[in-house]
Amino acid sequence: MKTILRGSRSLLKASSRGKRLATAMLLSVVASSAMTAQAQDSIGDLSGYTDEDFYAAEAAYESEQYSAGDLNTKSSPTEVDYAPISYSDMATVPTPMPIGSAYDGGCSPTSTVSCAPPACKPKRRKIGSLATCQASDMWTTAEFLMWFPQARTSAPLITTAPPGLAPIIGPAYPDTQVVFGGEDGLGGDLTPGFRIDAGKYLSKNFGIGGRFWFLGEDEASYSAQSDGTAFNLGRPIYDTNASQNDAILVGATDVGGNTLFAGSITAESKLEMIAGEAYGRLMFACGDEYRTDLIGGYTYFGIDDSLFIESTSVEVTPPTGDSFTFSDTFTANNDFHGGQIGFETTLSRGRWMFSTLTKVHLGNMNQQLSLQGTATETIAGAPPTVTVTDGGLLALDSQGEYERDVFAFVPEANVKLGYRFRDHVLFTAGYSFLYWSNVATAGEYVNPVFDATTRATGGPFGQPPLVWKDSSLIVQGIDLGVVIDF
């Protein structure tokens, strides 16, 4: 019995120890499960991350209880500089790095730590910095120009009227039309051209370049023959003898339908432009997606304008057969030599590019004028008598050669949008604007003053001497091009 009792007590003692061991194991499992669930909610499972957990972590950070590397290790936040952590990197917390390393907001040139976005971006260069920001060492730009020169001012040069009516300008002649010159001016149509710009950076922040462009002929012309059957044709003048507007008849009929004169007329106006530049460019400011260059250098502009008009009329009634020919030629040449200064800013985002160019050219404009004319009278007979006199119809007492030098300024603006089609190739489309403050054009120096009573002898008089005029000129339009940089 004692043996049985001792065995029972031993069994009871063993059972009691087993119960205590089982209870301890159960408590251990429960505690472990709770810690695992808490760990999953706080770090491993973002969806289970509660506001209370966030505030607790924030409070722990502010009380300097945790560092980024070890949540159970105290560390002062002033001793470390934390690298940004993306959601994909939550499972791996980066090791804190010393202040002044590549993670201090920019790429330190002495840092040996790799610098990759978005943790590190190049610092923005400040104005006046001579840092490097150019994307290439050389550039070449070729552009096709579609520009509209401003129409040139001119007096009315050719008029028409219905048969039987005089082609005279004035309120008393409402049916008269100006078909060449006058308020509409000369030219002003779409004119094609070409521009090329090329250069090279000699250092990381300074480069030199050259630009050349030309504009084709902006031409306006008129040609007609008339005997007055379809319309009356004339050249308007101001008759100093009668002190009123009049017209030299080229082809006309009277009110009765009789042909007075039969003849022809030809007129042509041309404007040509050319430019050459040599410049240097210095990096003024730059950043991750922009660059501004200060540009300065030398500029040449050549602007040539010419006007030619010739008419021949044969007297039909009375039937003399005498003919009269008047020929006038006006040319104006402008040569600009000066300096330029301005800014070019380029913005880039991905494959897209946007740039603005603003410059002003300052210098001397050399203006040269040539006014020449002839008048020819052919008297019918056997043999015919030909009389030639100087003066023409419009270039009379003022005919000759003239020249002067004046100061001129030329503001220039250009905006351009480009798309990088290949690594080194961009297609661009832009708008250009240029304004010349002082330019001589041929039509401005036409003075239609004439003494009609002396027409037969070719002895016109009464024109005042030439007076210089300060006139401006505008050219604007679209340019399409391609940029190659390498």
Side-chain angles (χ1 to χ4, degrees), residues 278-328:
Y279 63 87
R281 58 194 311 147
L282 177 67
M283 193 281 295
F284 184 74
C286 71
D288 298 342
E289 298 176 341
Y290 76 93
R291 177 188 175 101
T292 299
D293 283 350
L294 173 65
I295 297 177
Y298 162 80
T299 303
Y300 167 78
F301 293 116
I303 304 174
D304 298 334
D305 185 34
S306 63
L307 173 62
F308 170 79
I309 182 169
E310 182 178 80
S311 64
T312 298
S313 56
V314 178
E315 190 173 13
V316 177
T317 302
T320 63
D322 294 348
S323 65
F324 307 89
T325 299
F326 297 97
S327 178
D328 300 281

Side-chain angles (χ1 to χ4, degrees), residues 141 143-150 191 193-197 211 213 215 277 301 344 355-359 361 410-417 428-436 473-481:
T141 302
E143 295 173 291
F144 175 68
L145 309 179
M146 296 180 291
W147 288 0
F148 293 86
Q150 178 183 353
T191 305
F194 180 77
R195 180 168 63 193
I196 185 169
D197 189 329
R211 185 165 70 157
W213 63 263
L215 206 60
E277 303 176 31
F301 293 116
E344 182 178 41
S355 68
T356 62
L357 172 66
T358 55
K359 291 194 294 186
H361 310 264
V410 187
E412 178 182 358
N414 173 262
V415 294
K416 197 184 307 293
L417 179 66
T428 63
Y431 167 80
S432 295
F433 173 90
L434 290 99
Y435 167 86
W436 287 266
L473 181 66
I474 295 175
V475 175
Q476 58 183 327
I478 303 300
D479 34 80
L480 303 176

Side-chain angles (χ1 to χ4, degrees), residues 121-425:
K121 294 183 178 180
K123 291 183 177 179
R124 295 183 180 272
R125 309 301 179 187
K126 297 183 179 179
I127 294 177
S129 170
L130 297 182
T132 173
C133 282
Q134 87 275 10
S136 59
D137 293 329
M138 302 180 66
W139 71 89
T140 300
T141 302
E143 295 173 291
F144 175 68
L145 309 179
M146 296 180 291
W147 288 0
F148 293 86
Q150 178 183 353
R152 282 90 66 198
T153 302
S154 172
L157 300 175
I158 303 176
T159 54
T160 61
L165 300 180
I168 299 175
I169 297 174
Y173 306 91
D175 295 322
T176 298
Q177 293 185 352
V178 178
V179 295
F180 192 76
E183 294 181 357
D184 293 337
L186 301 172
D189 299 325
L190 174 64
T191 305
F194 180 77
R195 180 168 63 193
I196 185 169
D197 189 329
K200 176 179 175 59
Y201 281 97
L202 302 181
S203 67
K204 297 301 183 180
N205 54 80
F206 176 76
I208 59 173
R211 185 165 70 157
F212 169 81
W213 63 263
F214 71 89
L215 206 60
E217 294 181 351
D218 177 26
E219 182 179 356
S221 61
Y222 182 85
S223 179
Q225 293 181 341
S226 175
D227 60 1
T229 303
F231 56 88
N232 285 357
L233 182 64
R235 297 181 64 177
I237 62 169
Y238 180 81
D239 187 357
T240 58
N241 185 54
S243 298
Q244 65 182 16
N245 288 337
D246 205 339
I248 300 298
L249 298 178
V250 177
T253 59
D254 59 16
V255 291
N258 301 312
T259 299
L260 302 177
F261 292 92
S264 63
I265 191 169
T266 300
E268 185 179 58
S269 173
K270 291 182 180 180
L271 175 70
E272 299 176 280
M273 307 181 70
I274 191 171
E277 303 176 31
Y279 63 87
R281 58 194 311 147
L282 177 67
M283 193 281 295
F284 184 74
C286 71
D288 298 342
E289 298 176 341
Y290 76 93
R291 177 188 175 101
T292 299
D293 283 350
L294 173 65
I295 297 177
Y298 162 80
T299 303
Y300 167 78
F301 293 116
I303 304 174
D304 298 334
D305 185 34
S306 63
L307 173 62
F308 170 79
I309 182 169
E310 182 178 80
S311 64
T312 298
S313 56
V314 178
E315 190 173 13
V316 177
T317 302
T320 63
D322 294 348
S323 65
F324 307 89
T325 299
F326 297 97
S327 178
D328 300 281
T329 302
F330 298 78
T331 60
N333 299 323
N334 302 267
D335 293 316
F336 174 92
H337 296 272
Q340 60 172 269
I341 187 169
F343 291 93
E344 182 178 41
T345 299
T346 301
L347 307 176
S348 60
R349 177 66 65 87
R351 290 184 175 271
W352 291 97
M353 179 274 294
F354 177 78
S355 68
T356 62
L357 172 66
T358 55
K359 291 194 294 186
V360 61
H361 310 264
L362 305 170
N364 179 75
M365 181 73 80
N366 177 259
Q367 300 177 350
Q368 302 177 23
L369 283 177
S370 175
L371 285 66
Q372 303 293 334
T374 60
T376 304
E377 179 184 1
T378 304
I379 300 175
T385 301
V386 177
T387 302
V388 178
T389 60
D390 292 334
L393 180 66
L394 303 175
L396 303 177
D397 291 350
S398 59
Q399 69 177 333
E401 306 287 338
Y402 303 87
E403 183 177 1
R404 72 165 180 169
D405 293 299
V406 294
F407 172 79
F409 65 92
V410 187
E412 178 182 358
N414 173 262
V415 294
K416 197 184 307 293
L417 179 66
Y419 180 78
R420 187 169 291 277
F421 184 71
R422 289 290 186 267
D423 289 344
H424 302 284
V425 180

Side-chain angles (χ1 to χ4, degrees), residues 1-9:
M1 176 64 71
K2 290 181 180 180
T3 302
I4 295 175
L5 290 176
R6 283 196 301 268
S8 298
R9 283 196 296 269

